[in-house]
Amino acid sequence: MHDYQQKFIEFAIQRNVLRFGEFTLKSGRTSPYFFNAGLFQTGDALSALGAFYADRMMAASGSFDVLFGPPYKGIPLVSAMAVALSRDHGRSLPYAYARKEAKDHGEGGVLVGAPLEGRVLIVDDVVTAGTAANEAIEMIRAAGAEPAGVLVAIDREERGQEGSLSAVQALEANHGIPVYSIVTFSEILEFVEETRSAEEQNAMLAYREAYGV
């Protein structure tokens, strides 16, 4: 595990964004952990979060020209990342985001911000079913641009309800683009094994055995 990944996990726990226990997911599965990026809800938390996103992509080999945030959680995330790239890495990039519904007055349409041109990186919190990412990819391609990849906070490394692929793996296979994450389930498990109780460790291991890819 990289140092920034451990710091991110500690940061998420401190902000009560990452919790351990028993949580019923939308899928009906009982998960031993829960991640809610909506709880990064202060200015300093959002600033720090943007820095983690920016650092992750600066460490990656992928190239991108524009940042794009799907509605709704992707909107503050892409904004925070754009600020952090400029502030911490001297890289000022254009960014855009989408509305859920088209606006029929003013500038109109569903897109706000920079035009989608060149290689576009999609920025979001997690990939669950892949719906938001698939819609973003369609929008980017419809604009004549190329999706450069998807960046999320966490990859759950978990099989979908149907088939043996995770949502991340399915997204990569269907569109031929990489999905980057700040941390994965494996790295969270590594952290738990080093810092948390045996009960929490066993619950995480059992969950991976049942649903992991």
Side-chain angles (χ1 to χ4, degrees), residues 11 21 45 47 55 59 77 96 109 144 170 210:
F11 169 64
S47 176
D55 290 348
L77 294 176

Side-chain angles (χ1 to χ4, degrees), residues 16-21 23-25 31-36 156:
N16 209 34
V17 171
L18 176 60
R19 293 181 289 159
F20 300 97
F23 306 92
T24 301
L25 305 180
S31 173
Y33 75 107
F34 190 69
F35 182 87
N36 181 6
R156 292 182 63 92

Side-chain angles (χ1 to χ4, degrees), residues 92-159:
S92 180
L93 287 180
Y95 77 99
Y97 59 88
R99 302 183 179 96
K100 282 276 189 182
E101 298 176 355
K103 186 177 179 182
D104 60 5
H105 60 281
E107 74 277 17
V110 295
L111 286 173
V112 181
L116 298 180
E117 299 172 337
R119 293 176 54 79
V120 181
L121 179 71
I122 299 162
V123 182
D124 213 344
D125 59 340
V126 296
V127 173
T128 304
T131 304
N134 281 311
E135 290 175 353
I137 289 168
E138 289 178 8
M139 193 176 299
I140 290 165
R141 287 180 170 151
E146 178 185 355
V150 181
L151 171 61
V152 294
I154 179 172
D155 176 0
R156 292 182 63 92
E157 297 181 322
E158 182 178 324
R159 292 194 306 274

